[in-house]
Amino acid sequence: MSVTAPTAAAPDARSQFLALLDRALADNTLSKLVLARHVGSDASLQRIIAKPVLIKGQPHLSLVYRHQTRDITRNLPLADVPALAAELLPAAFRNAHLFDADGEVQLTFSKKGKAMLQRHGAQAPREAAASTGHDREKKRHLELSRPFLRDLGVTDAQGALIPSMSRKWKQINKFIEVFEHALASAPLPVDRPLRVADFGSGKGYLTFAMHDYLRNSLGREAQVTGVELRPDMVELCNAAASRLQHPGLRFECGDVRTVVPDAIEVMIALHACDVATDYAIHTGIRCQAAIIMCSPCCHKQLRPQLRSPELLQPMLQYGLHQGQQAEMLTDSLRALYLEACGYETKVFEFISLEHTSKNKMVLAVKRERPLPNHELLARIAQLKAFYSITEHCLETLLRADGLLPAH
């Protein structure tokens, strides 16, 4: 479903949003409330995610206060929720997302405090109110009935999941789940199409899923480009995009070094081998992407440079441990360089992907207010010196473009 035009900066947009929240609570149609773009005094607080729960038979909202290093949960009676929302918007948060039976309503405040209200398309069926306990069915962000899943061989002609594709189906949903959380906190405009680049798109499973989720589930305009080295895959995916009428979705032949976009909001690179991951992250930073999603593969550059401190040599004499150490150091430095460039970065296990055991995700979301990085750069230098690292590809690329200060 297409998005309606943004409400013209109405002065009562905040009041409308709070009224919709009141109605969703009263009608028991609220499925989730997200407050993002924190501007309050607690610099470690990122957002609040609230969902309905039953406590001793009484409806409450479970609020998860998500900080950089911890989560704090607070359960609030429904009657107290409107007052809290009114207190926090826009004093502490500049974005609010209300998910109800009709889809999503987004309230956005500009830097000057001007409010905008926008209704997105209908979401997948909301979890039933009775499932507010711990045994609710796992949420799926895409429906198996979506045509692209049948065309790509994930489902059969009747829309049923093909058993051999169950792992791919789980991967697609997990990927969209991670992206959904990143999107809720990213400083992105709501009145412009999202530009997405997926490097190493392969057969296009995740590229199609991203485009379908943005346009059909969220109702947002999107220009999604899949970049793949194999011409036959590019031809196959472009034919499918045309056949399925996915406007704004296209595929190009090349890689992260040959296809360099001018500007993107979302950069994806799953299983880019060795320094190709560094080139992809560099592209995301250079293009000022608000969201960078990487799943690194192979870690060859740092391993020959590693000079293990004497204390660690007995542990790292084993090849397996040395490889694990090189992997951890490589990705830790990548995450730290992203932090130094103004991103909030997380490194976590994603999911066991098809044909590989690599399941690490590096997720970076651009900060609304970047933190000073001088102390962080000094700690990076200490870490490199500890392991005798003289060169890291991502650092070299960033310094060459002036995205990091010179030595």
Side-chain angles (χ1 to χ4, degrees):
M1 181 179 294
S2 61
V3 182
T4 58
T7 305
D12 62 338
R14 175 178 176 273
S15 300
Q16 292 179 42
F17 182 88
L18 294 175
L20 289 169
L21 175 60
D22 281 344
R23 189 176 70 186
L25 291 170
D27 296 345
N28 195 27
T29 59
L30 178 71
S31 60
K32 184 167 64 173
L33 176 68
V34 178
L35 305 183
R37 285 183 62 202
H38 182 248
V39 293
S41 58
D42 185 352
S44 70
L45 180 59
Q46 300 169 355
R47 56 189 171 274
I48 298 175
I49 302 172
K51 294 183 179 181
V53 294
L54 288 176
I55 300 178
K56 296 182 179 179
Q58 297 300 315
H60 287 65
L61 220 58
S62 178
L63 289 81
V64 178
Y65 288 70
R66 184 151 293 169
H67 293 257
Q68 290 180 4
T69 57
R70 70 192 192 282
D71 288 349
I72 298 174
T73 301
R74 173 188 177 192
N75 295 320
L76 196 67
L78 295 189
D80 297 340
V81 173
L84 178 63
E87 176 187 342
L88 296 178
L89 295 170
F93 294 91
R94 296 292 175 86
N95 273 7
H97 304 258
L98 185 157
F99 298 86
D100 61 11
D102 296 321
E104 177 190 1
V105 177
Q106 180 174 352
L107 176 67
T108 305
F109 293 92
S110 69
K111 292 181 179 180
K112 295 182 179 181
K114 186 178 294 185
M116 177 184 294
L117 194 68
Q118 188 175 25
R119 163 72 74 176
H120 298 299
Q123 307 294 308
R126 188 178 65 90
E127 295 166 350
S131 67
T132 51
H134 294 291
D135 297 328
R136 70 179 67 180
E137 184 180 354
K138 184 174 179 62
K139 177 183 177 181
R140 294 297 184 191
H141 293 78
L142 296 170
E143 294 298 311
L144 281 170
S145 59
R146 298 306 302 155
F148 81 90
L149 293 170
R150 181 174 64 252
D151 198 280
L152 297 181
V154 178
T155 59
D156 60 22
Q158 288 71 43
L161 178 64
I162 296 174
S164 62
M165 298 300 291
S166 60
R167 292 174 63 190
K168 178 61 68 177
W169 174 235
K170 290 178 182 178
Q171 175 197 347
I172 291 170
N173 273 278
K174 184 63 177 180
F175 175 80
I176 296 299
E177 178 186 344
V178 172
F179 174 71
E180 178 195 45
H181 291 302
L183 188 63
S185 58
L188 284 167
V190 297
D191 57 345
R192 294 205 309 266
L194 282 183
R195 293 164 293 184
V196 181
D198 179 9
F199 292 99
S201 54
K203 196 175 178 181
Y205 295 108
L206 299 184
T207 324
F208 272 91
M210 171 72 78
H211 184 266
D212 190 90
Y213 176 71
L214 286 170
R215 292 185 65 97
N216 293 296
S217 295
L218 297 187
R220 296 192 65 160
E221 291 295 320
Q223 301 292 328
V224 180
T225 302
V227 181
E228 170 59 40
L229 273 172
R230 293 169 290 178
D232 57 331
M233 289 291 100
V234 174
E235 184 178 352
L236 182 149
C237 290
N238 275 325
S242 176
R243 184 167 56 250
L244 294 166
Q245 297 183 347
H246 273 248
L249 175 62
R250 63 189 178 94
F251 293 81
E252 294 186 20
C253 191
D255 62 11
V256 71
R257 302 193 199 196
T258 60
V259 178
V260 183
D262 293 328
I264 49 177
E265 282 73 51
V266 181
M267 196 290 298
I268 303 165
L270 302 190
H271 301 139
C273 188
D274 195 26
V275 296
T277 292
D278 298 303
Y279 278 89
I281 294 174
H282 168 253
T283 294
I285 296 173
R286 184 188 60 78
C287 293
Q288 300 185 36
I291 300 173
I292 294 174
M293 304 175 71
C294 290
S295 183
C297 181
C298 308
H299 299 76
K300 300 176 183 178
Q301 187 196 21
L302 296 196
R303 187 164 179 171
Q305 302 179 51
L306 278 175
R307 297 293 179 268
S308 303
E310 185 175 354
L311 179 64
L312 300 181
Q313 285 180 2
M315 179 177 70
L316 299 179
Q317 65 177 307
Y318 307 106
L320 174 64
H321 291 170
Q322 191 177 53
Q324 291 172 337
Q325 183 82 339
E327 177 180 333
M328 182 173 67
L329 181 59
T330 300
D331 292 333
S332 294
L333 286 171
R334 285 166 173 162
L336 291 170
Y337 288 129
L338 280 160
E339 292 276 357
C341 289
Y343 288 82
E344 175 196 332
T345 307
K346 297 179 180 179
V347 181
F348 55 93
E349 287 189 345
F350 172 43
I351 194 170
S352 294
L353 303 182
E354 198 170 26
H355 307 309
T356 180
S357 61
K358 301 292 184 180
N359 66 345
K360 184 188 296 183
M361 172 72 76
V362 179
L363 174 66
V365 177
K366 198 167 185 63
R367 296 180 185 275
E368 186 74 15
R369 297 171 294 171
L371 303 174
N373 62 21
H374 302 293
E375 181 181 350
L376 179 56
L377 290 173
R379 296 181 68 181
I380 291 173
Q382 292 174 346
L383 182 60
K384 289 173 59 185
F386 183 79
Y387 285 102
S388 301
I389 299 301
T390 58
E391 182 183 2
H392 189 290
C393 181
L394 179 57
E395 179 185 19
T396 302
L397 294 169
L398 293 172
R399 291 196 189 281
D401 278 354
L403 297 171
L404 284 179
H407 292 288

